[in-house]
């Protein structure tokens, strides 16, 4: 190769070198995202902008019972995703993940509020309503009284009997609904 050939090559546009390891990492990431899409609920999946071909592949992967067939289908989904614009899909997935995280935080807070209401009584209901104004005061008071009654009945149970926690569960659900409306 002469010096002129080398100089003409270096003047050309730089070619971006991608290692095989990088390609494998990207492929693996797409397969993980494909598996995440397969494991989503139908309602969540409906909010993600998918191509018809990708959507069909995901539906098929859900129906497969064989572990190996499912693995191959997820690989195929990853292959399809290589040729798809991933920006809108990533945005939709991130939105779903943050909603799920928010729900988990609110659920934990509702459990803590329910425990406080059961232990400290109606004064905590007023504190809750000051913070989350969508709550129904009358329903919360009824559920607080019912859970207190249930707790006293559980305290009188004989050994070996399982205590019920129906009313505190209803109280937690009522609190969670009020918190989600905020």
């Amino acid at each position: 190769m002469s010096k002129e050939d080398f100089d003409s090559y270096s003047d050309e546009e730089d070619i971006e070198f991608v290692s095989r390891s990088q390609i494998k990492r990207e492929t693996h990431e797409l397969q993980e995202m494909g598996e995440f899409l397969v494991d989503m609920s139908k309602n969540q999946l409906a909010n993600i902008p998918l191509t018809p071909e990708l959507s069909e592949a995901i539906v098929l992967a859900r129906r497969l019972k064989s572990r190996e067939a499912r693995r191959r289908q997820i690989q195929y989904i990853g292959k399809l995703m290589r040729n798809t614009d991933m920006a809108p899909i990533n945005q939709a997935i991130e939105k779903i993940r943050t909603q799920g995280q928010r729900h988990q935080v609110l659920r934990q807070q509702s459990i803590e509020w329910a425990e406080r209401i059961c232990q400290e009584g109606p004064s905590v209901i007023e504190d809750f309503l000051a913070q989350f104004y969508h709550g129904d005061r009358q329903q919360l008071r009824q559920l607080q009284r019912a859970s207190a009654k249930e707790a006293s009945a559980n305290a009188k149970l004989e050994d070996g009997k399982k205590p019920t926690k129906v009313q505190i569960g209803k109280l937690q659900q009522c609190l969670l609904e009020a918190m989600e409306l905020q």
Side-chain angles (χ1 to χ4, degrees):
M1 183 181 266
S2 70
K3 181 156 173 49
E4 293 173 1
D5 291 337
F6 183 74
D7 288 340
S8 66
Y9 177 73
S10 63
D11 291 339
E12 291 179 10
E13 203 176 297
D14 289 333
I15 298 173
E16 184 178 333
F17 176 74
V18 180
S19 68
R20 284 176 52 188
S21 299
Q22 180 64 28
I23 293 170
K24 287 182 180 183
R25 279 191 294 273
E26 291 171 0
T27 303
H28 187 68
E29 288 174 9
L30 289 174
Q31 287 175 10
E32 286 178 357
M33 187 178 292
E35 188 168 7
F36 182 74
L37 290 171
V38 169
D39 292 338
M40 286 180 136
S41 71
K42 289 181 182 180
N43 292 338
Q44 290 174 329
L45 199 59
N47 295 328
I48 297 181
L50 301 173
T51 63
E53 190 176 30
L54 187 57
S55 181
E56 289 174 22
I58 290 171
V59 169
L60 178 61
R62 288 177 171 200
R63 289 191 314 222
L64 296 174
K65 302 294 182 209
S66 168
R67 182 175 167 201
E68 181 62 20
R70 179 181 160 93
R71 182 190 66 79
R72 286 191 311 266
Q73 187 65 18
I74 288 173
Q75 282 183 330
Y76 176 67
I77 290 169
K79 182 180 177 182
L80 289 175
M81 289 169 61
R82 278 188 248 159
N83 302 326
T84 305
D85 181 23
M86 294 304 296
I89 295 173
N90 286 332
Q91 288 175 348
I93 288 174
E94 189 59 34
K95 183 177 178 184
I96 289 171
R97 283 185 177 156
T98 55
Q99 285 175 345
Q101 291 169 349
R102 180 178 182 270
H103 182 74
Q104 289 291 56
V105 168
L106 290 178
R107 181 177 159 90
Q108 183 60 37
Q109 288 177 350
S110 71
I111 291 170
E112 292 168 4
W113 275 106
E115 289 173 359
R116 278 189 62 205
I117 289 172
C118 290
Q119 291 172 357
E120 299 174 29
S123 63
V124 179
I125 293 174
E126 298 305 319
D127 295 340
F128 176 81
L129 292 173
Q131 192 172 359
F132 302 100
Y133 54 87
H134 287 290
D136 183 1
R137 178 177 281 113
Q138 181 179 0
Q139 184 180 18
L140 289 173
R141 286 183 178 164
Q142 288 173 351
L143 289 170
Q144 185 269 330
R145 284 192 300 272
S147 62
K149 186 176 180 181
E150 183 180 67
S152 67
N154 287 338
K156 296 176 186 176
L157 285 177
E158 298 174 11
D159 290 339
K161 297 241 178 166
K162 188 175 181 181
T164 59
K165 296 184 178 182
V166 174
Q167 297 303 321
I168 196 164
K170 288 180 181 178
L171 179 60
Q172 289 172 0
Q173 185 62 35
C174 181
L175 293 168
L176 181 62
E177 289 171 2
M179 293 166 84
E180 285 178 339
L181 290 175
Q182 192 72 12

